[in-house]
């Protein structure tokens, strides 16, 4: 319903702080909040979209205990496409922003942003727009110019490198062998014209 949102964050103080500020200083109400994606999805599945507590927007932390907010965002977009997603995170690097877009999020706001910026973001998303903080826009425009030439797996590895993940972490996340990751990485470097990981990060993180 109008001006109703949910918050999903595994830090109780963050959820309570956001809820208190939004309900005191804006027209938004946060009748329900969750520490994990499973509880959130279970609740939504038993709630009618016509219910007064059904949310317009979900504010989801990128990193939840034992899972990622990106997976939850994808699940919500699949099951409840009418709900708009705002990713909210302590990470503001380019790889996380890119993965949020791939997950169907309409906005990405860092936790170092002030409350007024979050309120502005919610207003824009509610009106059907998308939102990034000013310092993220130029980098994302640069990234957008290359991601269309990448295969799905190359794009996954591109995002992971920009998130600071090692090859071993990439192998574990995508269930790939070290040799396969090395091959994809070499092709990725060739396509975007960089010689190594350090040059990639330097070129596409600023």
């Amino acid at each position: 319903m109008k001006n109703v949102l949910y918050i999903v964050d595994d830090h109780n103080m963050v959820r309570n702080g956001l809820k208190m500020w939004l309900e005191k200083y804006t027209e938004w109400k946060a009748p329900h909040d969750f520490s994990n994606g499973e509880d959130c999805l279970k609740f939504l599945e038993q709630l009618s979209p016509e219910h007064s507590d059904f949310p317009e927007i979900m504010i989801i932390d990128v990193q939840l205990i034992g899972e990622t907010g990106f997976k939850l965002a994808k699940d919500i977009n699949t099951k409840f496409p009418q709900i708009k997603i705002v990713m909210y995170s302590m990470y503001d690097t380019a790889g996380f922003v890119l993965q949020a877009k791939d997950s169907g999020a309409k906005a990405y706001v860092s936790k170092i942003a002030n409350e007024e910026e979050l309120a502005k973001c919610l207003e824009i998303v509610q009106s059907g727009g998308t939102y990034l903080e000013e310092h993220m826009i130029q980098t994302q425009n640069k990234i957008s110019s290359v991601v269309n030439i990448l295969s799905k797996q190359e794009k996954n590895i591109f995002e992971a490198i920009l998130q600071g993940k090692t090859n071993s972490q990439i192998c574990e996340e995508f269930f790939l062998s070290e040799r396969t990751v090395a091959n994809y990485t070499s092709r990725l470097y060739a396509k975007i014209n960089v010689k190594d990981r350090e040059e990639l990060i330097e070129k596409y993180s600023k």
Side-chain angles (χ1 to χ4, degrees):
M1 300 298 288
K2 188 170 177 58
N3 293 334
V4 173
L5 60 78
Y6 293 175
I7 302 165
V8 186
D9 193 299
D10 54 13
H11 291 90
N12 188 55
M13 289 181 65
V14 172
R15 297 197 311 275
N16 288 340
L18 273 179
K19 175 184 171 69
M20 290 175 61
W21 189 88
L22 288 167
E23 293 190 340
K24 182 175 182 178
Y25 294 105
T26 76
E27 296 183 358
W28 288 97
K29 302 298 179 186
H32 303 284
D33 58 83
F34 306 89
S35 63
N36 62 78
E38 182 180 1
D39 289 347
C40 175
L41 285 171
K42 284 181 179 178
F43 184 85
L44 285 171
E45 285 166 355
Q46 55 84 43
L47 190 68
S48 166
E50 286 73 40
H51 194 282
S52 60
D53 280 357
F54 194 84
E56 276 189 278
I57 290 177
M58 300 274 296
I59 299 176
I60 302 175
D61 189 12
V62 163
Q63 192 62 55
L64 303 170
I65 293 177
E67 60 184 327
T68 70
F70 301 128
K71 181 181 183 304
L72 176 58
K74 285 183 177 179
D75 288 341
I76 289 173
N77 275 311
T78 298
K79 298 178 180 180
F80 309 99
Q82 69 271 52
I83 300 175
K84 301 177 177 70
I85 306 296
V86 172
M87 302 304 296
Y88 186 61
S89 177
M90 62 182 290
Y91 305 106
D92 65 353
T93 56
F96 286 97
V97 180
L98 180 58
Q99 191 171 358
K101 291 168 68 176
D102 289 344
S103 301
K106 300 298 184 184
Y108 194 105
V109 178
S110 64
K111 289 185 177 180
I112 62 172
N114 59 42
E115 293 89 345
E116 288 77 11
E117 181 141 28
L118 177 59
K120 177 183 176 183
C121 166
L122 293 173
E123 180 181 352
I124 290 172
V125 171
Q126 183 183 40
S127 299
T130 59
Y131 187 83
L132 289 177
E133 291 173 64
E134 190 67 33
H135 71 276
M136 300 176 183
I137 294 173
Q138 183 175 352
T139 299
Q140 287 302 308
N141 287 342
K142 188 190 301 183
I143 287 173
S144 295
S145 69
V146 301
V147 293
N148 289 335
I149 67 172
L150 304 179
S151 69
K152 180 179 179 181
Q153 203 66 277
E154 289 165 353
K155 187 176 180 182
N156 288 337
I157 291 173
F158 182 53
E159 290 175 355
I161 291 173
L162 288 174
Q163 292 171 10
K165 294 175 181 175
T166 64
N167 274 12
S168 295
Q169 290 172 319
I170 294 170
C171 290
E172 183 177 349
E173 181 173 348
F174 297 108
F175 306 103
L176 299 172
S177 69
E178 290 187 14
R179 183 183 181 89
T180 300
V181 170
N183 288 338
Y184 275 123
T185 302
S186 294
R187 292 206 294 267
L188 168 64
Y189 293 165
K191 282 188 176 182
I192 64 177
N193 195 29
V194 299
K195 64 180 183 296
D196 54 28
R197 179 182 298 256
E198 288 71 25
E199 186 178 357
L200 183 152
I201 292 171
E202 175 68 23
K203 187 173 182 179
Y204 292 103
S205 292
K206 299 178 182 179

